[in-house]
Structures are given as C-alpha cells and as structure tokens.
Amino acid sequence: MQKELPDHYRPWMEIANKLPQLIDAHQLQAHVDKMPLLSCQFLKGHREQRLAHLVLSFLTMGYVWQEGEAQPAEVLPRNLALPFVEVSRNLGLPPILVHSDLVLTNWTKKDPDGFLEIGNLETIISFPGGESLHGFILVTALVEKAAVPGIKALVQATNAILQPNQEALLQALQRLRLSIQDITKTLGQMHDYVDPDIFYAVIRIFLSGWKDNPAMPAGLMYEGVSQEPLKYSGGSAAQSTVLQAFDEFLGIRHSKESADFLYRMRDYMPPSHKAFIEDIHSAPSLRDYILSSGQDHLLTAYNQCVQALAELRSYHITMVTKYLITAATKAKHGKAKHGKPNHLPGPPQALKDRGTGGTAVMSFLKSVRDKTLESILHPRG
C-alpha cells in the first residue's frame, strides 16, 4: 500500500509517524493544535485519499483519547476536523477511524517482492500498544486475505445460479466453505501476536467512537463543520464486508436488533463494498434455488458453508471472551500481568461489556451465531 502523502501534507505525516510517542508523552493534542489548516485539493487519486483518511483518522482517535476515557477531548479542532470531513466526503466514508482504515489501508510489505504473510508485513500508522497493536492489525488484514477466495466464490455461485450450472455452483460452494475455514484458522494467529491485557487496557480505547459510548454521551464537536456534536460508532468487525456478504449470499436472517446494527455498519464501509453486498442481496436466492433443485449434494454443500460460518462465529466469541471479558475481569482485580502505561487512568470502564462499535458484544455475537445455525436447510419430503 502507499505509505507517503505529497510533500504538502508533511505536517500531518510528521505527527502521524510519532503518534505512539506523542500520546504516551501527552503531547499529541498540543502538536495537532499547532498544525496548519491544509486543504485536500492536492491529494491525487483514490490511494492518496485513502491514505489521508487513514492518517487523519489516527490523528483524530489519538487526539480524542489522549488522556484516556476519563477526559476525552470534546472538540476536534478545525485544522483537523475540516480536512478530515473533506476527505471523508470525497471517499463516502464517515469522519472517524473505520475498519477499512485500520486494516485494509494500513499495511505495507517490508519486501515488495515477498509474500503476503505476517513476517513480511508492517503497519503504516500506529497507536500505543507496540507489537500487540501491529499483530492485531496485521492478523486482521490476513483474515481479509483469507476471505478473498470466498468473495470470488460468491460471484461464481451467483453466475452459476443464473446460467444455471449446478456443477459450477457446487464447486463455488466448496470454495466458499474452504475460505470460511481458512478465515477461522487465520484468526487463531491473534493468540500468537496479541496480548489480551494490552489489547484491553491500551489498544481498545483508540478504536472507540462517540456513539453509544457512555464516556462521550454528547458526541464530538467537529469545529468549523457543524454547530452540534456529531456521533459516530467506533471500529467494529461488522464494518468488514466479508461476513455481511456471506450472510446475504447464504440468506441468513438476523434478529431485528442485530440486523439494524449490521445494516448501520454498512455506512462505515467504502461505498463500493456496500454496493457489492446490496448486489448480492438483489441477486436470485441461493436457498430458494437449492430447495427447488431437489439436489441433496447442493443442500449438503450449502449446509457445510453455514456450519463453517457458525463455527467461525463461535470462534470469534471465544476470542472476544479472552480479549475482552476475561481481560476486563483481570484488570478489575488488578491481575493483569503487564503494568498499564503510567498515563492511563486504569482500564476503560465505559465500554467494559461493549464492543468498540458500541454493541452489548456477547449477546450480539451469540445471537448472530445462533441465527446462522438456524439457517441450516432440511430436505423437503
């Protein structure tokens, strides 16, 4: 990925490249306050705009949460707010850190000719959290990579239904199942690279937003943009196109509360990603086609995809239990083995049982997993 902006934007990059140190020294806000107000007109092309959104989103999260959740900044100064809103409008993204910033834009290869694997990847912009932060971002990027054959399989399967070609559909469903299983396996690398105590006490706050967050009930004032504070959700895995696309394709229907949240998260995706999910939604129904075909081998292949997706969601629940619920309990009882950085005023309380997106995370994930399992098809007869 591109990792440098044009020279005009050096004031942004100089701060962004020292972000963890500036936050640790409580100096980020002072540095941002002195930044010149720069226009986005010198950003050329989509990649520079995406990199600018990444840089400005990291500056924003660091600025708001520099002093921890006890003293979040209530006003984003105009020299940050105006260009951030400008580049966000150009990209069709909200002016907050989103999944496509943190993960999809925020990696580069150490050796450009080397493989796309964790040893050859590095992040472009960082928060405090050291190796655990890098691990969290890069493992998540590899999860997205593992999903690529699955996303391609959705397109192949949709074309196979339109033709119709049952053999091609069967092969596409098998590729989808293998991709989902590979996602689950890749997600397991979190255990090797991300320390739960550091994720909970250090990293998590910088992914938190100002909607459904008791630490910032009024939202954030974007100076020069709006007379009223604005509310945006923090980062969430629900902002990844992957699982939402799989759900639409497999015809999985979630409870109203979960569906409303998932649907809202589509506004945090790049517009082309959101459009892809909507295209799958409007394509012919896979479930209807399989039931009307009467072909047991198609029904079995479909059910194996649903089962694999439910297993991925169960595994996600075990990860959230380790990195959130258990880590929260340890932090509360003072058992976290890593001393928290001295500037953090204790573990975050406002989101203790909530995801960074603001959901009551365990009930949400269990509901989504259970509704996935309920989608298993039974032969007619």
Side-chain angles (χ1 to χ4, degrees), residues 166-311:
Q166 292 189 353
E167 186 55 36
L169 178 58
L170 181 66
Q171 288 174 0
L173 289 172
Q174 289 165 342
R175 280 194 287 270
L176 175 59
R177 172 179 57 84
L178 289 170
S179 176
I180 296 170
Q181 290 170 331
D182 195 28
I183 291 170
T184 307
K185 193 167 90 216
T186 306
L187 188 58
Q189 293 186 48
M190 286 287 176
H191 298 298
D192 302 327
Y193 293 101
V194 186
D195 182 293
D197 302 330
I198 291 177
F199 178 79
Y200 184 76
V202 182
I203 296 169
R204 205 163 157 258
I205 185 84
F206 297 107
L207 312 179
S208 304
W210 27 95
K211 178 181 170 68
D212 303 324
N213 185 348
M216 290 183 74
L220 177 68
M221 184 67 81
Y222 288 70
E223 190 181 50
V225 174
S226 163
Q227 298 301 314
E228 299 294 321
L230 303 176
K231 295 185 176 184
Y232 293 103
S233 297
S236 166
Q239 294 172 3
S240 167
T241 318
V242 171
L243 294 187
Q244 294 221 33
F246 292 171
D247 277 348
E248 284 290 2
F249 174 68
L250 295 168
I252 291 162
R253 298 278 167 265
H254 293 295
S255 70
K256 182 171 186 328
E257 190 182 0
S258 299
D260 286 349
F261 174 72
L262 288 166
Y263 204 77
R264 206 176 79 230
M265 288 298 102
R266 294 182 187 182
D267 292 333
Y268 291 73
M269 297 176 184
S272 57
H273 291 206
K274 181 181 175 182
F276 178 74
I277 296 172
E278 288 167 355
D279 283 349
I280 293 170
H281 176 74
S282 53
S285 162
L286 171 70
R287 287 170 67 88
D288 291 351
Y289 179 80
I290 286 176
L291 284 171
S292 62
S293 77
Q295 298 289 325
D296 284 352
H297 61 295
L298 286 179
L299 188 105
T300 301
Y302 169 87
N303 284 344
Q304 286 173 339
C305 289
V306 173
Q307 189 70 42
L309 188 56
E311 285 165 9

Side-chain angles (χ1 to χ4, degrees), residues 30 44 56 58 70 120 143 150 207 231 235 264 271 280 304 320 322-323 340 346 357 359 362 373 377 381:
K44 298 182 295 292
L56 295 171
F58 265 67
N120 191 39
V143 165
L207 312 179
K231 295 185 176 184
R264 206 176 79 230
I280 293 170
Q304 286 173 339
V320 171
K322 173 178 174 175
Y323 284 92
K340 63 183 179 3
T359 52
M362 289 310 269
L373 276 173
L377 284 174

Side-chain angles (χ1 to χ4, degrees), residues 311-367:
E311 285 165 9
L312 168 57
R313 288 184 152 139
S314 290
Y315 193 63
H316 190 199
I317 290 168
T318 62
M319 298 295 263
V320 171
T321 303
K322 173 178 174 175
Y323 284 92
L324 189 62
I325 313 299
T326 310
T329 307
K330 281 170 71 178
K332 186 172 156 203
H333 297 300
K335 291 183 182 155
K337 59 184 180 293
H338 294 271
K340 63 183 179 3
N342 54 19
H343 71 279
L344 278 173
Q349 292 303 311
L351 286 174
K352 60 179 181 292
D353 59 348
R354 291 181 167 263
T356 44
T359 52
V361 67
M362 289 310 269
S363 57
F364 168 73
L365 291 175
K366 285 176 177 167
S367 163

Side-chain angles (χ1 to χ4, degrees), residues 1 49-58 61 84 87-88 91 93-107 124-125 137 239 268-270:
M1 299 301 282
Q49 301 224 13
R50 284 283 295 267
L51 181 56
H53 198 277
L54 166 68
V55 168
L56 295 171
S57 67
F58 265 67
M61 301 317 256
F84 193 21
V87 77
S88 298
L91 289 167
L93 290 171
I96 190 169
L97 178 74
V98 293
H99 176 84
S100 65
D101 298 313
L102 181 73
V103 177
L104 301 182
T105 313
N106 195 22
W107 58 270
I124 299 171
I125 315 287
I137 292 169
Q239 294 172 3
Y268 291 73
M269 297 176 184

